Amino acid sequence: MLTNEEVRSKVLDIIADIALDDDVTGIKDEVALREQLDLDSMDFLDIVMELKKRHKIEVPQEDYTRLASMQSCVEYLAPKFNA
Amino acid sequence: MAKYDCVIIGAGMSGLAAGIRLSMYNKKVVILERHTITGGLNSYYSRGKRKFDVGLHALTNFVDPTERGRPFNKLMKQLRIPYDDFKLHPQNYSVIQFPDKKIKFTNDIDFLTEEIRLNFPHEIDGFMSLLNQMQQVNEVDLSNELIMAREVVRNYLKDESLIEVLFCPLLIYGSAWENDMDFSQFVIMFKSIFIEGFSRPAGGVRTIIDLLLKRFEECGGELRFKSEVTKIIAIDQKIKAVEINGEQIIECDNILSSMGLPETLSVLEENNHSKTKPLPRVGNLSFTESIVITDKLPRDLGIDATIIFYNNRPNYLYQKPSTLIDSQSAVVCFPNNFLYGNTPSDYTEGVMRVTNIANYDLWNDQLLFSKENYKDQKINVFNQSLQILKNVGLGSNGKSFEVLFKDVFTPTTIKRYTGHFGGTVYGSIDKSRNGQTDINGLYICGTDQGFLGIVGSMLSGISMANLHILSSSL
Ligand SMILES: Cc1cc2nc3c(=O)[nH]c(=O)nc-3n(C[C@H](O)[C@H](O)[C@H](O)COP(=O)(O)OP(=O)(O)OC[C@H]3O[C@@H](n4cnc5c(N)ncnc54)[C@H](O)[C@@H]3O)c2cc1C
């Protein structure tokens, strides 16, 4: 069973690899990722693909909006990590 | 042998970038390259101890690493290559030299705006609104329709001589069309040259290629040299396999081809050709380039500009000449004149590159007629290049120089090394902007997808891999 904190840290690892030149240590959980980091739609595609590659987690296209902020990511992904 | 998810044809910039994206996400992918080295149009060679670049006068889209969301940073993010690894050195300044005007530009658009205010005061308002208009355009949208740029630009600018000046660098650095270009492509080129600007990686082309290759290897990608795709095999309009070197069959589900659209269709098995559609046309534009190595640096011979777009007519003719080359216009590049700061430049001698628009058919005739003739014509081109160097100011400070080495490549050289029909650099005028063809699983990337130049071709490889191979497998 992964805690929310552990899920957050796994998502953060992915984001840190994608947003290579950004500092991800100060991300605010409730604020949209797009507003804090240099991420565009190509990068969100990468988050989805990294989730699949590293954790075998599938995110269907209609759920992409659930990845908008760190908080919504954790809420949406925690059950999938623990499934 | 196991089937590949994707075969990539060509290890140029677009093929390598696509290869990185696909192997990064564990696709089984192989890049097939007919030549013995990577790079394609943007390659390199050595003569004695000297190293030469083939493409790459300058990398476009220069950005300060702190600026976010600009095309070059986005590309590197997609490839997971740190921006700093390119060790980019910005240009000093460039010049568009017409008979009665010299317009300078730098990597700061305000500088060009001032030049226009000074030289074309009556057009400054129009120029500003053109700039504004371009900020509203999403030039890389794959669904943009083809509109010719001159028509659009004439809504903002009335003075044809200013239009000629602005189009000159944009055409020769990125148009497959004669004397005009697609408006989206115009905006791409305008932003990448006039707004973002030029730089050169320390070490030139090799630095870019080495970074891409290293990344591709890290991702576990496979690359085969001396592997020319001689047939694309499809059944019921669906990709099955490719044949290499006329013998070996490699099975695959998808193909991303960077060899060009007419070139790709020419190896497609015959029964798959559409009966109704005309074949894509081969572009008309090819080039010669003279490489001149001198004992003195250009700045000691009176030139500190990085690139000079030279044009000796009131109008700029960007079209297939009726002679071997058009000696009345050229791009002249001085790699010594990037701002290297405290790092020593990799060139200790003077390096000058003079590129002219050339006629492929006439060069090919020369070669067929006799090798001797062909060689004589290359010497002719070299002598014309020396004249052009003088016309742009080399030796204007009274200093003389000695030529230590010279080389000339021609449209037939380009054809021989890259396979592009007609020795084109910007490919066909019939692009496949969304990369699709009539065959399921066969996609175009690079030159004939339509994003041109080094940055453009990488963007093309990445977008086509994302769109056609990665997104569809989610
Ligand atoms: C002289 C010159 C100067 C240039 N200067 C600049 C510049 O300053 N700035 C800039 O941005 N751009 C410049 N360019 C343009 C730039 O180099 C190209 O736009 C870019 O490299 C195109 O990359 P590509 O991957 O689309 O195609 P290519 O580089 O053409 O790649 C295609 C590859 O496919 C291979 N191939 C072809 N047929 C087959 C086959 N049947 N089987 C297997 N492999 C095959 C070829 O060998 C080649 O390696 C210049 C080009 C030239 C020639």
Side-chain angles (χ1 to χ4, degrees), chain B residues 203-258:
Chain B
V205 164
R206 284 173 177 80
T207 302
I208 306 177
I209 292 177
D210 289 349
L211 284 169
L212 294 174
L213 267 180
K214 182 169 141 249
R215 188 76 190 107
F216 184 59
E217 278 163 18
E218 276 169 14
C219 295
E222 182 187 347
L223 169 59
R224 295 195 209 170
F225 292 110
K226 294 192 198 164
S227 300
E228 177 171 358
V229 172
T230 38
K231 204 182 279 174
I232 292 176
I233 300 162
I235 298 175
D236 298 332
Q237 305 292 104
K238 166 90 190 82
I239 285 299
K240 287 291 169 217
V242 293
E243 174 200 77
I244 50 177
N245 302 330
E247 41 184 51
Q248 195 188 348
I249 301 289
I250 297 183
E251 286 185 62
C252 58
D253 289 328
N254 297 285
I255 296 173
L256 269 177
S257 171
S258 71

Short mmCIF file of all heavy atoms in Angstrom, two decimals, chain B residues 203-258:
data_model
loop_
_atom_site.label_atom_id
_atom_site.label_comp_id
_atom_site.label_asym_id
_atom_site.label_seq_id
_atom_site.Cartn_x
_atom_site.Cartn_y
_atom_site.Cartn_z
N GLY B 203 32.19 23.11 -31.68
CA GLY B 203 32.43 21.84 -32.34
C GLY B 203 31.53 21.61 -33.55
O GLY B 203 31.68 20.62 -34.26
N GLY B 204 30.57 22.51 -33.78
CA GLY B 204 29.75 22.45 -34.99
C GLY B 204 28.79 21.28 -35.05
O GLY B 204 28.29 20.82 -34.02
N VAL B 205 28.54 20.82 -36.27
CA VAL B 205 27.57 19.75 -36.52
C VAL B 205 27.83 18.52 -35.66
O VAL B 205 26.90 17.90 -35.14
CB VAL B 205 27.65 19.33 -38.01
CG1 VAL B 205 26.98 17.99 -38.23
CG2 VAL B 205 27.05 20.39 -38.89
N ARG B 206 29.09 18.17 -35.50
CA ARG B 206 29.42 16.94 -34.76
C ARG B 206 28.84 16.95 -33.35
O ARG B 206 28.42 15.93 -32.83
CB ARG B 206 30.94 16.76 -34.68
CG ARG B 206 31.55 16.28 -35.98
CD ARG B 206 33.06 16.31 -35.86
NE ARG B 206 33.72 15.79 -37.05
CZ ARG B 206 33.90 16.48 -38.16
NH1 ARG B 206 33.44 17.71 -38.25
NH2 ARG B 206 34.52 15.95 -39.20
N THR B 207 28.85 18.13 -32.71
CA THR B 207 28.31 18.23 -31.35
C THR B 207 26.84 17.82 -31.33
O THR B 207 26.41 17.05 -30.47
CB THR B 207 28.49 19.67 -30.83
OG1 THR B 207 29.86 19.98 -30.87
CG2 THR B 207 27.96 19.82 -29.42
N ILE B 208 26.08 18.33 -32.30
CA ILE B 208 24.65 18.02 -32.34
C ILE B 208 24.45 16.53 -32.59
O ILE B 208 23.70 15.85 -31.90
CB ILE B 208 23.94 18.82 -33.46
CG1 ILE B 208 24.22 20.32 -33.31
CG2 ILE B 208 22.44 18.54 -33.45
CD1 ILE B 208 23.62 21.16 -34.41
N ILE B 209 25.15 16.02 -33.59
CA ILE B 209 24.98 14.62 -33.96
C ILE B 209 25.41 13.70 -32.82
O ILE B 209 24.72 12.73 -32.49
CB ILE B 209 25.77 14.30 -35.25
CG1 ILE B 209 25.12 15.04 -36.42
CG2 ILE B 209 25.81 12.80 -35.51
CD1 ILE B 209 25.85 14.87 -37.72
N ASP B 210 26.54 14.03 -32.19
CA ASP B 210 27.02 13.18 -31.10
C ASP B 210 26.02 13.13 -29.94
O ASP B 210 25.80 12.08 -29.35
CB ASP B 210 28.38 13.67 -30.58
CG ASP B 210 29.48 13.40 -31.59
OD1 ASP B 210 29.23 12.65 -32.56
OD2 ASP B 210 30.60 13.94 -31.43
N LEU B 211 25.43 14.29 -29.63
CA LEU B 211 24.44 14.32 -28.54
C LEU B 211 23.23 13.45 -28.87
O LEU B 211 22.74 12.70 -28.03
CB LEU B 211 23.99 15.76 -28.27
CG LEU B 211 24.98 16.66 -27.51
CD1 LEU B 211 24.51 18.11 -27.55
CD2 LEU B 211 25.14 16.18 -26.08
N LEU B 212 22.77 13.56 -30.12
CA LEU B 212 21.60 12.77 -30.51
C LEU B 212 21.93 11.28 -30.51
O LEU B 212 21.16 10.45 -30.01
CB LEU B 212 21.12 13.19 -31.90
CG LEU B 212 20.54 14.61 -32.03
CD1 LEU B 212 20.23 14.92 -33.49
CD2 LEU B 212 19.29 14.79 -31.20
N LEU B 213 23.10 10.94 -31.04
CA LEU B 213 23.49 9.52 -31.11
C LEU B 213 23.65 8.92 -29.72
O LEU B 213 23.21 7.80 -29.46
CB LEU B 213 24.82 9.39 -31.84
CG LEU B 213 24.74 9.13 -33.34
CD1 LEU B 213 26.15 9.02 -33.91
CD2 LEU B 213 23.97 7.84 -33.62
N LYS B 214 24.30 9.68 -28.85
CA LYS B 214 24.53 9.20 -27.49
C LYS B 214 23.18 8.93 -26.81
O LYS B 214 22.98 7.89 -26.18
CB LYS B 214 25.33 10.25 -26.71
CG LYS B 214 25.66 9.85 -25.29
CD LYS B 214 26.69 10.83 -24.69
CE LYS B 214 26.36 11.11 -23.25
NZ LYS B 214 25.88 12.44 -22.93
N ARG B 215 22.26 9.86 -26.98
CA ARG B 215 20.95 9.72 -26.36
C ARG B 215 20.21 8.51 -26.93
O ARG B 215 19.57 7.75 -26.22
CB ARG B 215 20.15 11.01 -26.61
CG ARG B 215 18.85 11.09 -25.89
CD ARG B 215 19.03 11.40 -24.42
NE ARG B 215 17.77 11.23 -23.73
CZ ARG B 215 17.46 10.23 -22.91
NH1 ARG B 215 18.35 9.30 -22.64
NH2 ARG B 215 16.27 10.14 -22.36
N PHE B 216 20.32 8.33 -28.25
CA PHE B 216 19.66 7.20 -28.91
C PHE B 216 20.21 5.88 -28.38
O PHE B 216 19.47 4.94 -28.10
CB PHE B 216 19.84 7.31 -30.43
CG PHE B 216 19.12 6.26 -31.22
CD1 PHE B 216 17.73 6.12 -31.13
CD2 PHE B 216 19.82 5.40 -32.07
CE1 PHE B 216 17.06 5.16 -31.88
CE2 PHE B 216 19.15 4.43 -32.82
CZ PHE B 216 17.77 4.32 -32.72
N GLU B 217 21.52 5.82 -28.19
CA GLU B 217 22.14 4.60 -27.65
C GLU B 217 21.71 4.35 -26.21
O GLU B 217 21.40 3.22 -25.84
CB GLU B 217 23.66 4.68 -27.75
CG GLU B 217 24.16 4.31 -29.13
CD GLU B 217 25.60 4.77 -29.37
OE1 GLU B 217 26.31 5.07 -28.39
OE2 GLU B 217 25.99 4.84 -30.56
N GLU B 218 21.70 5.42 -25.40
CA GLU B 218 21.24 5.30 -24.00
C GLU B 218 19.85 4.68 -23.92
O GLU B 218 19.53 3.95 -23.01
CB GLU B 218 21.14 6.68 -23.34
CG GLU B 218 22.41 7.23 -22.77
CD GLU B 218 22.24 8.71 -22.39
OE1 GLU B 218 21.09 9.21 -22.32
OE2 GLU B 218 23.27 9.35 -22.17
N CYS B 219 19.02 5.05 -24.91
CA CYS B 219 17.63 4.56 -24.89
C CYS B 219 17.54 3.15 -25.47
O CYS B 219 16.45 2.58 -25.55
CB CYS B 219 16.74 5.47 -25.72
SG CYS B 219 16.58 7.11 -25.04
N GLY B 220 18.65 2.62 -25.92
CA GLY B 220 18.66 1.26 -26.43
C GLY B 220 18.22 1.13 -27.88
O GLY B 220 17.83 0.05 -28.32
N GLY B 221 18.27 2.21 -28.63
CA GLY B 221 17.88 2.16 -30.04
C GLY B 221 18.91 1.45 -30.91
O GLY B 221 20.08 1.34 -30.55
N GLU B 222 18.45 0.98 -32.06
CA GLU B 222 19.34 0.24 -32.97
C GLU B 222 19.49 1.04 -34.27
O GLU B 222 18.52 1.58 -34.79
CB GLU B 222 18.70 -1.12 -33.26
CG GLU B 222 19.50 -2.03 -34.16
CD GLU B 222 18.71 -3.30 -34.55
OE1 GLU B 222 17.66 -3.60 -33.93
OE2 GLU B 222 19.16 -3.96 -35.50
N LEU B 223 20.71 1.11 -34.76
CA LEU B 223 20.99 1.88 -35.97
C LEU B 223 21.84 1.04 -36.91
O LEU B 223 22.85 0.48 -36.49
CB LEU B 223 21.74 3.17 -35.57
CG LEU B 223 22.37 4.05 -36.64
CD1 LEU B 223 21.35 4.54 -37.64
CD2 LEU B 223 23.06 5.26 -35.97
N ARG B 224 21.41 0.93 -38.16
CA ARG B 224 22.21 0.16 -39.12
C ARG B 224 22.66 1.04 -40.27
O ARG B 224 21.82 1.67 -40.93
CB ARG B 224 21.39 -0.99 -39.70
CG ARG B 224 21.01 -2.02 -38.68
CD ARG B 224 20.55 -3.26 -39.40
NE ARG B 224 19.57 -3.96 -38.58
CZ ARG B 224 18.85 -4.98 -39.01
NH1 ARG B 224 18.97 -5.39 -40.27
NH2 ARG B 224 18.00 -5.57 -38.20
N PHE B 225 23.95 1.07 -40.51
CA PHE B 225 24.50 1.80 -41.65
C PHE B 225 24.52 0.91 -42.88
O PHE B 225 24.31 -0.29 -42.80
CB PHE B 225 25.91 2.29 -41.33
CG PHE B 225 25.92 3.35 -40.26
CD1 PHE B 225 26.43 3.09 -38.99
CD2 PHE B 225 25.40 4.60 -40.50
CE1 PHE B 225 26.43 4.05 -38.00
CE2 PHE B 225 25.39 5.59 -39.53
CZ PHE B 225 25.91 5.31 -38.27
N LYS B 226 24.85 1.53 -44.01
CA LYS B 226 24.91 0.82 -45.30
C LYS B 226 23.66 -0.03 -45.51
O LYS B 226 23.74 -1.16 -45.98
CB LYS B 226 26.15 -0.07 -45.37
CG LYS B 226 27.45 0.71 -45.39
CD LYS B 226 28.58 -0.23 -45.75
CE LYS B 226 29.92 0.34 -45.38
NZ LYS B 226 30.98 -0.66 -45.38
N SER B 227 22.54 0.50 -45.07
CA SER B 227 21.28 -0.23 -45.20
C SER B 227 20.30 0.64 -45.96
O SER B 227 19.57 1.43 -45.37
CB SER B 227 20.72 -0.57 -43.83
OG SER B 227 21.63 -1.37 -43.12
N GLU B 228 20.33 0.53 -47.27
CA GLU B 228 19.45 1.35 -48.09
C GLU B 228 18.11 0.65 -48.26
O GLU B 228 18.05 -0.51 -48.66
CB GLU B 228 20.09 1.60 -49.46
CG GLU B 228 19.16 2.38 -50.37
CD GLU B 228 19.83 2.84 -51.66
OE1 GLU B 228 21.04 2.57 -51.83
OE2 GLU B 228 19.13 3.45 -52.48
N VAL B 229 17.04 1.38 -47.94
CA VAL B 229 15.72 0.80 -48.16
C VAL B 229 15.44 0.81 -49.66
O VAL B 229 15.42 1.87 -50.29
CB VAL B 229 14.64 1.59 -47.40
CG1 VAL B 229 13.24 1.12 -47.79
CG2 VAL B 229 14.85 1.46 -45.90
N THR B 230 15.28 -0.37 -50.23
CA THR B 230 15.07 -0.46 -51.67
C THR B 230 13.61 -0.77 -52.02
O THR B 230 13.21 -0.66 -53.17
CB THR B 230 16.00 -1.53 -52.28
OG1 THR B 230 16.09 -2.64 -51.38
CG2 THR B 230 17.40 -0.97 -52.48
N LYS B 231 12.86 -1.19 -51.01
CA LYS B 231 11.44 -1.43 -51.27
C LYS B 231 10.63 -1.27 -49.98
O LYS B 231 11.08 -1.68 -48.91
CB LYS B 231 11.24 -2.84 -51.83
CG LYS B 231 9.96 -3.00 -52.65
CD LYS B 231 9.78 -4.43 -53.13
CE LYS B 231 10.59 -4.76 -54.38
NZ LYS B 231 10.48 -6.19 -54.74
N ILE B 232 9.47 -0.65 -50.10
CA ILE B 232 8.52 -0.60 -48.99
C ILE B 232 7.38 -1.53 -49.35
O ILE B 232 6.77 -1.39 -50.42
CB ILE B 232 8.01 0.84 -48.76
CG1 ILE B 232 9.16 1.72 -48.25
CG2 ILE B 232 6.84 0.85 -47.78
CD1 ILE B 232 8.80 3.18 -48.09
N ILE B 233 7.15 -2.51 -48.48
CA ILE B 233 6.19 -3.55 -48.81
C ILE B 233 4.90 -3.37 -48.00
O ILE B 233 4.94 -3.28 -46.78
CB ILE B 233 6.79 -4.95 -48.53
CG1 ILE B 233 8.07 -5.12 -49.40
CG2 ILE B 233 5.79 -6.06 -48.82
CD1 ILE B 233 8.98 -6.22 -48.93
N ALA B 234 3.78 -3.29 -48.70
CA ALA B 234 2.49 -3.12 -48.05
C ALA B 234 1.51 -4.11 -48.66
O ALA B 234 1.60 -4.44 -49.84
CB ALA B 234 1.99 -1.70 -48.22
N ILE B 235 0.59 -4.60 -47.83
CA ILE B 235 -0.46 -5.48 -48.33
C ILE B 235 -1.79 -4.85 -47.95
O ILE B 235 -1.97 -4.45 -46.79
CB ILE B 235 -0.33 -6.90 -47.76
CG1 ILE B 235 1.00 -7.51 -48.21
CG2 ILE B 235 -1.51 -7.78 -48.21
CD1 ILE B 235 1.30 -8.86 -47.61
N ASP B 236 -2.71 -4.76 -48.90
CA ASP B 236 -4.00 -4.10 -48.66
C ASP B 236 -3.81 -2.72 -48.04
O ASP B 236 -4.48 -2.38 -47.05
CB ASP B 236 -4.90 -4.96 -47.77
CG ASP B 236 -5.23 -6.28 -48.42
OD1 ASP B 236 -5.24 -6.32 -49.67
OD2 ASP B 236 -5.43 -7.27 -47.68
N GLN B 237 -2.90 -1.96 -48.58
CA GLN B 237 -2.65 -0.59 -48.12
C GLN B 237 -2.20 -0.52 -46.66
O GLN B 237 -2.42 0.47 -46.00
CB GLN B 237 -3.89 0.31 -48.30
CG GLN B 237 -4.47 0.36 -49.70
CD GLN B 237 -3.54 1.07 -50.67
OE1 GLN B 237 -2.87 0.44 -51.48
NE2 GLN B 237 -3.49 2.39 -50.59
N LYS B 238 -1.58 -1.59 -46.17
CA LYS B 238 -1.09 -1.59 -44.79
C LYS B 238 0.37 -2.07 -44.79
O LYS B 238 0.71 -3.06 -45.43
CB LYS B 238 -1.98 -2.53 -43.96
CG LYS B 238 -1.46 -2.92 -42.60
CD LYS B 238 -1.91 -1.93 -41.52
CE LYS B 238 -1.19 -2.16 -40.19
NZ LYS B 238 0.15 -1.58 -40.07
N ILE B 239 1.21 -1.32 -44.07
CA ILE B 239 2.65 -1.62 -44.06
C ILE B 239 2.96 -3.01 -43.50
O ILE B 239 2.41 -3.40 -42.46
CB ILE B 239 3.41 -0.55 -43.23
CG1 ILE B 239 3.52 0.75 -44.00
CG2 ILE B 239 4.80 -1.02 -42.81
CD1 ILE B 239 4.27 0.68 -45.31
N LYS B 240 3.84 -3.73 -44.18
CA LYS B 240 4.26 -5.06 -43.73
C LYS B 240 5.76 -5.12 -43.44
O LYS B 240 6.18 -5.72 -42.46
CB LYS B 240 3.95 -6.11 -44.81
CG LYS B 240 2.49 -6.44 -44.94
CD LYS B 240 1.98 -7.19 -43.71
CE LYS B 240 0.46 -7.27 -43.76
NZ LYS B 240 -0.14 -7.15 -42.45
N ALA B 241 6.56 -4.53 -44.33
CA ALA B 241 8.00 -4.74 -44.22
C ALA B 241 8.76 -3.77 -45.12
O ALA B 241 8.15 -3.08 -45.94
CB ALA B 241 8.35 -6.17 -44.63
N VAL B 242 10.08 -3.72 -44.93
CA VAL B 242 10.92 -3.05 -45.91
C VAL B 242 11.96 -4.05 -46.41
O VAL B 242 12.28 -5.02 -45.73
CB VAL B 242 11.67 -1.83 -45.33
CG1 VAL B 242 10.72 -0.72 -44.95
CG2 VAL B 242 12.55 -2.22 -44.14
N GLU B 243 12.46 -3.76 -47.60
CA GLU B 243 13.57 -4.57 -48.13
C GLU B 243 14.80 -3.66 -48.10
O GLU B 243 14.71 -2.50 -48.50
CB GLU B 243 13.24 -4.97 -49.57
CG GLU B 243 14.36 -5.68 -50.29
CD GLU B 243 14.17 -5.60 -51.80
OE1 GLU B 243 14.45 -4.52 -52.38
OE2 GLU B 243 13.75 -6.59 -52.40
N ILE B 244 15.94 -4.21 -47.60
CA ILE B 244 17.15 -3.39 -47.65
C ILE B 244 18.19 -3.99 -48.58
O ILE B 244 18.34 -5.19 -48.69
CB ILE B 244 17.77 -3.10 -46.26
CG1 ILE B 244 17.95 -4.36 -45.44
CG2 ILE B 244 16.95 -2.09 -45.50
CD1 ILE B 244 18.63 -4.10 -44.10
N ASN B 245 18.87 -3.07 -49.26
CA ASN B 245 19.94 -3.42 -50.21
C ASN B 245 19.52 -4.48 -51.21
O ASN B 245 20.31 -5.32 -51.63
CB ASN B 245 21.19 -3.88 -49.45
CG ASN B 245 21.68 -2.80 -48.49
OD1 ASN B 245 21.49 -1.60 -48.75
ND2 ASN B 245 22.27 -3.20 -47.38
N GLY B 246 18.23 -4.47 -51.56
CA GLY B 246 17.74 -5.38 -52.57
C GLY B 246 17.67 -6.83 -52.15
O GLY B 246 17.41 -7.71 -52.97
N GLU B 247 17.90 -7.13 -50.87
CA GLU B 247 17.90 -8.53 -50.49
C GLU B 247 17.17 -8.81 -49.18
O GLU B 247 16.21 -9.56 -49.15
CB GLU B 247 19.35 -9.05 -50.42
CG GLU B 247 20.29 -8.03 -49.78
CD GLU B 247 21.74 -8.47 -49.78
OE1 GLU B 247 22.22 -8.85 -50.86
OE2 GLU B 247 22.36 -8.43 -48.71
N GLN B 248 17.60 -8.18 -48.09
CA GLN B 248 17.07 -8.58 -46.78
C GLN B 248 15.70 -7.94 -46.52
O GLN B 248 15.47 -6.77 -46.82
CB GLN B 248 18.06 -8.14 -45.71
CG GLN B 248 17.82 -8.78 -44.38
CD GLN B 248 18.72 -8.17 -43.31
OE1 GLN B 248 19.66 -7.44 -43.61
NE2 GLN B 248 18.43 -8.47 -42.06
N ILE B 249 14.80 -8.71 -45.92
CA ILE B 249 13.46 -8.20 -45.57
C ILE B 249 13.39 -7.95 -44.06
O ILE B 249 13.82 -8.79 -43.28
CB ILE B 249 12.37 -9.23 -45.95
CG1 ILE B 249 12.39 -9.54 -47.45
CG2 ILE B 249 10.99 -8.74 -45.51
CD1 ILE B 249 11.93 -8.42 -48.33
N ILE B 250 12.90 -6.80 -43.69
CA ILE B 250 12.72 -6.49 -42.26
C ILE B 250 11.24 -6.20 -42.03
O ILE B 250 10.69 -5.27 -42.61
CB ILE B 250 13.57 -5.28 -41.85
CG1 ILE B 250 15.05 -5.63 -42.03
CG2 ILE B 250 13.28 -4.88 -40.40
CD1 ILE B 250 15.99 -4.54 -41.59
N GLU B 251 10.61 -7.00 -41.20
CA GLU B 251 9.17 -6.82 -40.96
C GLU B 251 8.91 -5.72 -39.95
O GLU B 251 9.67 -5.56 -38.98
CB GLU B 251 8.58 -8.12 -40.44
CG GLU B 251 8.43 -9.17 -41.52
CD GLU B 251 7.72 -10.40 -40.98
OE1 GLU B 251 6.56 -10.26 -40.56
OE2 GLU B 251 8.36 -11.47 -40.96
N CYS B 252 7.86 -4.97 -40.16
CA CYS B 252 7.54 -3.88 -39.24
C CYS B 252 6.06 -3.50 -39.36
O CYS B 252 5.42 -3.80 -40.36
CB CYS B 252 8.41 -2.67 -39.54
SG CYS B 252 8.23 -2.07 -41.23
N ASP B 253 5.57 -2.81 -38.30
CA ASP B 253 4.18 -2.34 -38.33
C ASP B 253 4.07 -0.93 -38.90
O ASP B 253 3.06 -0.56 -39.47
CB ASP B 253 3.61 -2.32 -36.91
CG ASP B 253 3.37 -3.72 -36.38
OD1 ASP B 253 3.06 -4.60 -37.22
OD2 ASP B 253 3.52 -3.95 -35.16
N ASN B 254 5.12 -0.13 -38.65
CA ASN B 254 5.08 1.26 -39.08
C ASN B 254 6.41 1.66 -39.71
O ASN B 254 7.45 1.10 -39.37
CB ASN B 254 4.85 2.19 -37.88
CG ASN B 254 3.51 1.96 -37.22
OD1 ASN B 254 2.48 2.34 -37.74
ND2 ASN B 254 3.54 1.31 -36.06
N ILE B 255 6.34 2.69 -40.55
CA ILE B 255 7.55 3.27 -41.12
C ILE B 255 7.46 4.78 -40.99
O ILE B 255 6.44 5.39 -41.32
CB ILE B 255 7.71 2.91 -42.61
CG1 ILE B 255 7.89 1.39 -42.77
CG2 ILE B 255 8.87 3.66 -43.23
CD1 ILE B 255 7.88 0.94 -44.22
N LEU B 256 8.53 5.38 -40.46
CA LEU B 256 8.66 6.84 -40.50
C LEU B 256 9.77 7.11 -41.49
O LEU B 256 10.91 6.72 -41.27
CB LEU B 256 9.09 7.37 -39.14
CG LEU B 256 8.04 7.76 -38.11
CD1 LEU B 256 8.72 8.18 -36.81
CD2 LEU B 256 7.17 8.90 -38.63
N SER B 257 9.44 7.78 -42.59
CA SER B 257 10.46 7.97 -43.62
C SER B 257 10.91 9.41 -43.71
O SER B 257 10.10 10.32 -43.87
CB SER B 257 9.90 7.54 -44.98
OG SER B 257 10.82 7.92 -45.99
N SER B 258 12.22 9.62 -43.64
CA SER B 258 12.77 10.98 -43.77
C SER B 258 13.48 11.16 -45.11
O SER B 258 14.16 12.15 -45.31
CB SER B 258 13.73 11.28 -42.62
OG SER B 258 14.93 10.53 -42.76
#
